[in-house]
């Protein structure tokens, strides 16, 4: 059975809201009295699903308080609202807490936040395409989910928190922009995609690709650019691979430029595009430096353009004309 994806991690939640650990929901348990021997009881403790001693979980509860005969064993009687604990030392001298593991609590809030985010996003957005080519969720999805998780966690302590309201304002704005197409997700095609998106794969030299020119006339590719001979402008060389033999350029499908000297001007890439290397006067490229340039054809449909409408008339009859 398919399960709801969780868009953020504990690390993401911590990055968004560094004070998250202060919202641990464990509750101290006081008023321990001797029941018999080394068995103690705390009346009116409230529901206890997990017991902690000095921050350490004691594991699962026993089936009945009569089963308690080993250090650290515990049982909660929901009928009488009594928490039982077995110990050779007095629990009043320890930090006794009820609650659940904070990591478990955060996991639940993150899952709930992901489900909530899904419910607020436009139903036409393909959830299975929220991941980029490396299998990671788009950062705007991750961030918004983490923001909502933090809001849920804070409001479980303080429903009127101004901090939670501020975090929610950003989350709501992100959701609105995604639904309106004002924020680009990795799978969406924009008008600038035909100019290429340059990504460094492995670069240690100071001479780098700084610009592209033109528009790609193919359909889609991840073009590979690699420095063959290291050195300064006028000495170093580069090669280019595009799709071919059932492989994208990044996997060296077809070589279209071979050891061309880098001159600092716009130079051949592929499919109607050019690239330009640049750096300071003494900067040099390093052999095997590598870039990926992701391109989508200029004739491909744009996914997240916002259509606008202008009125045109012919022989006095108003008509609507939509343009991108």
């Amino acid at each position: 059975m398919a399960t709801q994806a969780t868009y953020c991690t504990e690390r993401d939640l911590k990055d968004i809201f560094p004070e998250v650990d202060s919202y641990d929901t464990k509750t101290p348990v006081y008023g321990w009295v001797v029941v018999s021997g080394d068995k103690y009881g705390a009346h009116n403790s409230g529901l206890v699903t997990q017991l902690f001693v000095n921050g350490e979980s004691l594991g699962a509860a026993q089936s009945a308080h009569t089963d308690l005969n080993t250090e650290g064993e515990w049982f909660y009687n929901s009928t009488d609202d009594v928490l039982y604990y077995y110990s050779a030392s007095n629990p009043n001298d320890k930090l006794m807490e009820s609650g659940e593991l904070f990591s478990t609590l955060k996991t639940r809030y993150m899952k709930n936040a992901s489900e909530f985010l899904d419910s607020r996003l436009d139903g036409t957005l393909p959830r299975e395409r929220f991941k980029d080519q490396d299998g990671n969720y788009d950062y705007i999805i991750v961030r918004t989910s983490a923001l909502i998780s933090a809001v849920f966690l804070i409001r479980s302590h303080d429903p009127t928190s101004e901090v939670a309201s501020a975090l929610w304002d950003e989350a709501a704005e992100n959701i609105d922009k995604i639904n309106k197409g004002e924020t680009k997700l990795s799978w969406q095609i924009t008008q600038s995609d035909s100019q290429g998106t340059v990504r460094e794969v492995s670069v240690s030299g100071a001479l780098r690709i700084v610009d592209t020119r033109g528009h790609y006339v193919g359909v889609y590719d991840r073009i590979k650019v690699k420095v063959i001979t290291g050195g300064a402008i006028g000495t170093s060389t580069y090669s280019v691979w595009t799709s071919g033999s059932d492989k994208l350029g990044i996997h060296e499908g077809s070589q279209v430029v071979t050891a061309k000297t880098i001159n600092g001007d716009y130079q051949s890439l592929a499919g109607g595009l050019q690239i330009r290397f640049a750096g300071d006067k003494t900067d040099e490229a390093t052999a095997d430096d590598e870039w990926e340039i992701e391109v989508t054809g200029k004739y491909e449909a744009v996914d997240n353009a916002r259509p606008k409408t202008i009125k045109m008339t012919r022989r006095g009859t108003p008509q609507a004309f939509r343009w991108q």
Side-chain angles (χ1 to χ4, degrees), residues 48-324:
V48 179
T49 57
Q50 186 64 59
L51 185 62
F52 297 82
V53 176
N54 297 327
E56 181 179 352
S57 171
L58 294 181
Q62 300 302 304
S63 300
H65 78 85
T66 54
D67 296 333
L68 306 186
N69 54 29
T70 302
E71 180 72 32
E73 290 184 338
W74 66 281
F75 171 74
Y76 174 67
N77 185 326
S78 58
T79 301
D80 298 328
D81 191 17
V82 181
L83 175 62
Y84 295 93
Y85 171 61
Y86 192 92
S87 177
S89 56
N90 193 327
N92 291 301
D93 299 328
K94 305 175 183 179
L95 175 60
M96 306 294 296
E97 296 175 299
S98 66
E100 62 182 315
L101 286 171
F102 193 39
S103 59
T104 302
L105 180 68
K106 288 184 286 187
T107 297
R108 187 171 74 248
Y109 275 120
M110 290 186 294
K111 183 177 184 299
N112 291 344
S114 297
E115 292 179 352
F116 181 86
L117 176 59
D118 251 1
S119 71
R120 289 299 184 96
L121 292 176
D122 192 317
T124 62
L125 291 172
R127 271 55 171 175
E128 71 278 4
R129 297 181 70 182
F130 281 176
K131 291 185 177 181
D132 62 20
Q133 63 191 24
D134 297 318
N136 301 313
Y137 287 110
D138 281 295
Y139 181 68
I140 189 65
I141 298 295
V142 172
R143 183 176 181 85
T144 305
S145 178
L147 286 166
I148 297 172
S149 301
V151 171
F152 286 174
L153 188 58
I154 296 169
R155 285 182 173 168
S156 69
H157 284 258
D158 180 5
T160 62
S161 168
E162 292 184 0
V163 173
S165 296
L167 295 175
W168 172 249
D169 286 345
E170 181 184 343
E173 182 180 10
N174 290 346
I175 292 170
D176 186 55
K177 287 185 175 181
I178 293 172
N179 286 336
K180 289 181 177 179
E182 296 176 357
T183 295
K184 179 183 180 297
L185 300 176
S186 60
W187 61 271
Q188 293 177 312
I189 299 172
T190 64
Q191 293 175 342
S192 64
D193 284 347
S194 64
Q195 297 173 314
T197 301
V198 181
R199 301 187 182 96
E200 295 183 353
V201 176
S202 176
V203 178
S204 60
L207 201 60
R208 298 168 182 263
I209 297 174
V210 297
D211 195 16
T212 65
R213 185 171 72 170
H215 293 275
Y216 184 63
V217 295
V219 177
Y220 174 80
D221 203 354
R222 290 165 60 193
I223 301 170
K224 177 177 180 176
V225 180
K226 182 177 180 180
V227 173
I228 304 303
T229 303
I233 289 178
T235 302
S236 53
T237 63
Y238 75 99
S239 293
V240 177
W241 288 263
T242 61
S243 60
S245 302
D246 298 323
K247 294 186 292 186
L248 293 173
I250 195 66
H251 302 301
E252 299 189 358
S254 176
Q255 188 167 359
V256 294
V257 175
T258 302
K260 188 177 183 68
T261 300
I262 297 173
N263 61 20
D265 199 353
Y266 286 98
Q267 298 180 263
S268 299
L269 181 63
L273 281 174
Q274 295 179 308
I275 54 173
R276 183 169 68 86
F277 290 84
D280 292 336
K281 185 175 181 180
T282 59
D283 285 346
E284 296 186 354
T286 300
D288 295 327
D289 278 357
E290 184 180 329
W291 294 262
E292 168 194 322
I293 303 178
E294 186 175 15
V295 291
T296 302
K298 65 179 181 179
Y299 299 114
E300 297 303 300
V302 175
D303 288 315
N304 69 339
R306 298 179 64 189
K308 300 178 181 179
T309 303
I310 59 175
K311 289 184 178 180
M312 300 183 68
T313 61
R314 176 178 295 176
R315 296 178 182 175
T317 303
Q319 296 185 3
F321 174 73
R322 295 185 71 81
W323 62 283
Q324 300 286 349

